[in-house]
Amino acid sequence: MPSLDDYRHAHPDIRADFTIAQRPERYTSQEHTLWRRLCVRMRDIHKGRASQEYFDGLARLPIDETGIPDFERLSDALYKLTKWIVVPVPGLVPDDVFFEHLANRRFPAGYFIRRPEQFDYIEEPDVFHDVYGHVPLLAHPVFAEYMEAYGKGGLRAMGFHSLDHLARLYWYTVEFGLIRNDAGLRVYGSGILSSPAETVYSIESSSPNRIHFDLERVMRTKYRIDDFQESYFVVDSFDELFSATYQDFAPLYRRLETGATYEPGTVLASDTVHTQGDHHYKAHSHQVA
Ligand code: HBI
Ligand code: FE
């Protein structure tokens, strides 16, 4: 995790909370064009795959193909909806700094955009992933609550040395979550939404497991950072996600100190597995453990 000093040479004006000035006038026309190309490509791929909650947020915010958004203007619009703002950061920030921002309804977003040769994939969170992928959901009142609770939970988890478990929750919901409602199976996870290939794969491929969300199950499941996910966890609504997680995690963290840790591709007899093409559940019978 980078320190303030690591960022200081490139960003002498970096503040103690790791925010910087966005200075949107400095984006080049090539950078705005790259943003536009990314948006145009995702717009078509998101049709029928991204969740309605995501589309609703996108429609209500100044995030569009005209270019990289000005965070102040974006924050004004978002604040009116859910009292969140977007603050520019130079890249990954330390966990405690990240949690402190979320707990106070500030979303730290990378201000920079990927290089053209990183069009399909970039490891660090850039402005396209953070703003096009994450910010629309912050316009949803329940998801907005969830993110604030996650920030507060993160600060607490650090005291319990349970960050790995909490990070799995973030990974399998905020970054790679699926939601299933009347329209069918849809994506809400920003890691998927900012990846054209994984957007298609997560909804259409017969390869990954799609397991109904269960908090302890998720916290026991490792994840892959170098490839598409082998398992996705599905909620029926953000209300379900919020009510399943809005609790004191201390007893859960104690339980997690012992017992199984699952590999990313594991399916358990106790899992509720979502099958493709219909809205029904099917209980898988093969136990892998
Ligand atoms: N910093 N800018 C940024 N974006 C993230 O998503 C992020 C971070 N720092 C820490 C972090 N994520 C995760 O390690 C925590 O959610 C666990
Ligand atoms: Fe992200």
Side-chain angles (χ1 to χ4, degrees):
M1 206 52 70
S3 72
L4 265 187
D5 279 336
D6 295 329
Y7 281 129
R8 236 180 216 125
H9 13 256
H11 304 281
D13 60 337
I14 191 165
R15 303 174 192 114
D17 66 356
F18 281 74
T19 62
I20 52 167
Q22 184 192 15
R23 296 201 273 174
E25 70 283 357
R26 299 215 306 186
Y27 295 119
T28 64
S29 64
Q30 288 88 336
E31 288 175 320
H32 285 300
T33 300
L34 183 60
W35 167 278
R36 188 170 312 121
R37 283 174 51 217
L38 288 160
C39 290
V40 167
R41 180 178 58 167
M42 288 317 308
R43 181 190 55 201
D44 294 335
I45 290 175
H46 282 167
K47 266 186 209 127
R49 299 189 181 100
S51 69
Q52 192 55 46
E53 291 84 350
Y54 173 81
F55 289 129
D56 289 345
L58 202 57
R60 299 176 78 182
L61 293 169
I63 300 174
D64 54 44
E65 289 156 24
T66 55
I68 301 169
D70 177 332
F71 287 11
E72 282 185 18
R73 188 165 161 251
L74 177 57
S75 293
D76 286 345
L78 183 59
Y79 190 81
K80 289 194 184 103
L81 298 172
T82 55
K83 296 200 156 54
W84 273 80
I85 61 168
V86 180
V87 294
V89 291
L92 278 177
V93 301
D95 292 335
D96 59 331
V97 174
F98 185 64
F99 296 143
E100 185 69 34
H101 282 300
L102 297 183
N104 291 286
R105 294 203 172 214
R106 297 186 298 262
F107 187 75
Y111 80 98
F112 67 96
I113 190 154
R114 64 196 67 190
R115 295 189 305 273
E117 59 272 25
Q118 297 166 309
F119 193 73
D120 284 302
Y121 180 74
I122 175 174
E123 210 168 296
E124 316 94 87
D126 75 336
V127 65
F128 185 72
H129 168 77
D130 279 338
V131 171
Y132 201 79
H134 284 284
V135 172
L137 290 162
L138 293 171
H140 189 282
V142 178
F143 197 83
E145 287 290 327
Y146 177 72
M147 287 290 275
E148 177 188 337
Y150 177 79
K152 291 179 169 154
L155 294 169
R156 280 172 55 78
M158 296 186 73
F160 288 99
H161 305 289
S162 287
L163 216 54
D164 291 353
H165 293 124
L166 194 72
R168 289 176 187 156
L169 175 63
Y170 192 83
W171 189 267
Y172 281 121
T173 60
V174 177
E175 295 292 354
F176 291 93
L178 299 181
I179 185 165
R180 186 212 62 163
N181 53 30
D182 294 341
L185 191 67
R186 295 287 186 272
V187 180
Y188 74 88
S190 311
I192 307 177
L193 289 170
S194 52
S195 159
E198 192 156 1
T199 297
V200 175
Y201 170 87
S202 67
I203 295 298
E204 271 135 63
S205 172
S206 57
S207 167
N209 309 309
R210 298 177 183 86
I211 301 167
H212 202 79
F213 181 82
D214 177 274
L215 179 60
E216 184 167 339
R217 165 73 162 98
V218 166
M219 286 196 177
R220 288 188 186 279
T221 307
K222 296 198 248 174
Y223 54 81
R224 306 194 55 146
I225 59 166
D226 58 343
D227 204 349
F228 295 163
Q229 301 305 304
E230 290 174 63
S231 297
Y232 298 99
F233 290 90
V234 183
V235 294
D236 285 336
S237 65
F238 290 153
D239 285 314
E240 179 194 1
L241 176 63
F242 187 72
S243 54
T245 52
Y246 198 70
Q247 54 175 274
D248 179 5
F249 285 174
L252 178 57
Y253 291 148
R254 270 195 297 279
R255 270 208 306 284
L256 289 165
E257 284 169 16
T258 57
T261 300
Y262 305 118
E263 292 304 315
T266 299
V267 177
L268 305 172
S270 52
D271 287 335
T272 302
V273 176
H274 290 254
T275 54
Q276 277 181 293
D278 62 31
H279 294 179
H280 297 289
Y281 298 100
K282 189 179 90 183
H284 249 259
S285 52
H286 64 275
Q287 175 127 22
V288 192

